[in-house]
Amino acid sequence: MGSPRPRRGRSRWLEALACAGALLLLGAGPRSGYETMTPQLRAMQDDDLSNPGMLAVAEGEALFAREGCAGCHTAEAMRGVAARYPALDRASQAPIDLSGRIAQCREKRQQRPPLPREGPAMLALTAFVAHQSRGLPLQPDPRLAEARRQGEALFRERRGQLNLSCAQCHDDNAGRRLAGSLIPEGHPNGYPLYRLEWQALGSLQRRLRNCLVGVRSEPFPPGAPDYVALEAYLVARARGLLVETPAIRP
Amino acid sequence: MSSPSWPRCATDRRAMLGGLLALSLVRPAGATPEALAAAMREFTGGAAPLPGGVTLDIPPLVENGNAVPVGVEVESPMTEADHVRAIALFNERNPLPNVITARLGPWSGAARLSTRIRLATSQRLIAVAALSDGSYRMAEQQVVVTLAACIEG
Amino acid sequence: MVRTLLRVPATARSGEVIEIRTLIAHPMETGFRPGADGTVQPRDIIRRFTCRFNNREVFAAELHPAVAANPYLTFTLRVEESGILAFTWEGDNGFSQTETRPIAVA
């Protein structure tokens, strides 16, 4: 597809023209939410000593050693891993996200009790592993075509009492404002990230759940395949953006 | 799929809804002007701080009031004879007027600190410096805090 | 023990003014916020931060609920001799944590 963000087949000439103008000004391709933050927030993300997400990365590094991950994996070998997720899990032939892979490793290979998906330990481990890929471009797994197709369908499906799709905000109205907030393009390249609204590090699934609840839609249960399919589509949609973990977002 | 011109302006119904929701979650009523004045009096011992000599660095418009970077710098040679003893930061409309009070001295080499603060809503922020000669200097800055449309809950 | 991040130069020249930067993992629960069940969460903040150089207090701060979660604080110090910097955060519910960093002054 020629356009950087795939759109519905139906042509909308005026919007296309406006978009073309905007792309000329801003440069083609997906734009990370980083680009639209204030200089103060960008500085908070850029400097590791001021980025509160780095507290979780440091905790994750300690857990990586203490919880036995380092018995098989080196931190160096983790470089590039997060940029390739979600990936195809060979055993189940189903897509799996990075936290899902860490959980699987722990339960199947270490035979240890699971960590809560959004608990501080899992977030810290995921942040540490993802941080090793900081600066590398997202590389969608070519084997996930079916999951991406499902994810795109979810992205475009109107949901909830407000009857809104993801695409209506994050494709059609990205760059505009909703109340005082800029509507971002909605890319997954900084997770787990430190969101000022949460005052904490959180996962992509938490963010997706916020959006679902925001349009008054029933959120999927934590770890549901729908989230992984959405993530598979979002990663393809954000192709080429660099991993920023741990990003800062307002 | 028909494509109505969904939110074309910020006064859209959904935006209003989000805004109202955000407003309803704002913390309890802010500190009163009396409470702010009392907190500043306690720091200065009743002396009236003079403007000037203090730089209060805070963005005039912030995207989220939960972590607003702020820096304070006071012009001073920082010698035994002439230095800054303390720097305090006050706010106008959070539930409590105090933010942070720092003690320093000539050994600090410079009168400069930075931190991140919470601002419940748009308001005035005041930095006061206590100098070694017993006088007080101040700077103030108005900050606009935008309310988020999409909040967790 | 919670995570802290500290940036202190390992070496400095005598008389140099160094910048010290600190970050600590702490929720700074204000005591004004309702929790998921609607009741107000009790206050849980760091109330005091101190920095000692060779056991002499060189910087102290009183923190209030308006300080953001995961408190970040930077300040300066003129160093004349080598020694140990000790950073202490104290707060509600008996919270107390100290971290140290050496600095070599030539």
Side-chain angles (χ1 to χ4, degrees), chain A residues 105-113:
Chain A
C105 219
R106 187 178 163 87
E107 289 157 48
K108 294 233 167 88
R109 302 201 171 80
Q110 295 184 312
Q111 268 126 40
R112 303 185 63 189

mmCIF file of all heavy atoms in Angstrom, chain A residues 105-113:
data_model
loop_
_atom_site.group_PDB
_atom_site.id
_atom_site.type_symbol
_atom_site.label_atom_id
_atom_site.label_comp_id
_atom_site.label_asym_id
_atom_site.label_seq_id
_atom_site.Cartn_x
_atom_site.Cartn_y
_atom_site.Cartn_z
ATOM 1 N N CYS A 105 8.151 -18.891 29.450
ATOM 2 C CA CYS A 105 9.491 -19.335 29.819
ATOM 3 C C CYS A 105 9.506 -19.715 31.301
ATOM 4 O O CYS A 105 10.024 -20.753 31.691
ATOM 5 C CB CYS A 105 10.470 -18.199 29.564
ATOM 6 S SG CYS A 105 12.042 -18.722 28.894
ATOM 7 N N ARG A 106 8.904 -18.856 32.103
ATOM 8 C CA ARG A 106 8.892 -19.045 33.545
ATOM 9 C C ARG A 106 8.078 -20.274 33.948
ATOM 10 O O ARG A 106 8.512 -21.074 34.763
ATOM 11 C CB ARG A 106 8.301 -17.779 34.173
ATOM 12 C CG ARG A 106 8.357 -17.739 35.658
ATOM 13 C CD ARG A 106 7.793 -16.427 36.159
ATOM 14 N NE ARG A 106 7.495 -16.571 37.570
ATOM 15 C CZ ARG A 106 8.369 -16.357 38.538
ATOM 16 N NH1 ARG A 106 9.587 -15.963 38.247
ATOM 17 N NH2 ARG A 106 8.023 -16.534 39.796
ATOM 18 N N GLU A 107 6.920 -20.429 33.335
ATOM 19 C CA GLU A 107 6.036 -21.508 33.771
ATOM 20 C C GLU A 107 6.440 -22.855 33.172
ATOM 21 O O GLU A 107 6.487 -23.860 33.872
ATOM 22 C CB GLU A 107 4.585 -21.176 33.414
ATOM 23 C CG GLU A 107 4.030 -20.058 34.290
ATOM 24 C CD GLU A 107 2.864 -19.324 33.660
ATOM 25 O OE1 GLU A 107 1.938 -19.996 33.164
ATOM 26 O OE2 GLU A 107 2.881 -18.070 33.651
ATOM 27 N N LYS A 108 6.742 -22.872 31.860
ATOM 28 C CA LYS A 108 7.037 -24.155 31.214
ATOM 29 C C LYS A 108 8.477 -24.605 31.474
ATOM 30 O O LYS A 108 8.731 -25.757 31.733
ATOM 31 C CB LYS A 108 6.822 -24.033 29.696
ATOM 32 C CG LYS A 108 5.356 -23.797 29.329
ATOM 33 C CD LYS A 108 4.862 -24.810 28.295
ATOM 34 C CE LYS A 108 3.355 -24.782 28.170
ATOM 35 N NZ LYS A 108 2.889 -23.789 27.183
ATOM 36 N N ARG A 109 9.446 -23.677 31.356
ATOM 37 C CA ARG A 109 10.851 -24.095 31.429
ATOM 38 C C ARG A 109 11.392 -24.050 32.851
ATOM 39 O O ARG A 109 12.211 -24.867 33.221
ATOM 40 C CB ARG A 109 11.702 -23.223 30.502
ATOM 41 C CG ARG A 109 11.208 -23.312 29.071
ATOM 42 C CD ARG A 109 12.210 -22.928 28.020
ATOM 43 N NE ARG A 109 11.662 -23.261 26.707
ATOM 44 C CZ ARG A 109 10.785 -22.499 26.063
ATOM 45 N NH1 ARG A 109 10.390 -21.346 26.573
ATOM 46 N NH2 ARG A 109 10.311 -22.862 24.886
ATOM 47 N N GLN A 110 10.925 -23.068 33.628
ATOM 48 C CA GLN A 110 11.418 -22.982 35.010
ATOM 49 C C GLN A 110 10.463 -23.662 35.992
ATOM 50 O O GLN A 110 10.812 -23.846 37.152
ATOM 51 C CB GLN A 110 11.588 -21.522 35.430
ATOM 52 C CG GLN A 110 12.660 -20.758 34.668
ATOM 53 C CD GLN A 110 12.805 -19.351 35.230
ATOM 54 O OE1 GLN A 110 11.814 -18.652 35.440
ATOM 55 N NE2 GLN A 110 14.040 -18.925 35.474
ATOM 56 N N GLN A 111 9.261 -23.977 35.514
ATOM 57 C CA GLN A 111 8.218 -24.567 36.374
ATOM 58 C C GLN A 111 8.033 -23.758 37.660
ATOM 59 O O GLN A 111 8.082 -24.284 38.766
ATOM 60 C CB GLN A 111 8.539 -26.023 36.679
ATOM 61 C CG GLN A 111 7.898 -26.971 35.674
ATOM 62 C CD GLN A 111 8.893 -27.895 35.033
ATOM 63 O OE1 GLN A 111 9.784 -28.386 35.691
ATOM 64 N NE2 GLN A 111 8.752 -28.109 33.744
ATOM 65 N N ARG A 112 7.862 -22.459 37.452
ATOM 66 C CA ARG A 112 7.652 -21.582 38.602
ATOM 67 C C ARG A 112 6.284 -20.945 38.478
ATOM 68 O O ARG A 112 5.728 -20.870 37.386
ATOM 69 C CB ARG A 112 8.757 -20.512 38.642
ATOM 70 C CG ARG A 112 10.131 -21.151 38.687
ATOM 71 C CD ARG A 112 11.190 -20.133 38.852
ATOM 72 N NE ARG A 112 11.041 -19.429 40.113
ATOM 73 C CZ ARG A 112 11.746 -18.355 40.431
ATOM 74 N NH1 ARG A 112 12.617 -17.868 39.582
ATOM 75 N NH2 ARG A 112 11.581 -17.779 41.592
ATOM 76 N N PRO A 113 5.740 -20.491 39.619
ATOM 77 C CA PRO A 113 4.389 -19.913 39.564
ATOM 78 C C PRO A 113 4.363 -18.662 38.667
ATOM 79 O O PRO A 113 5.356 -17.951 38.574
ATOM 80 C CB PRO A 113 4.091 -19.553 41.027
ATOM 81 C CG PRO A 113 5.415 -19.545 41.711
ATOM 82 C CD PRO A 113 6.310 -20.473 40.956
#
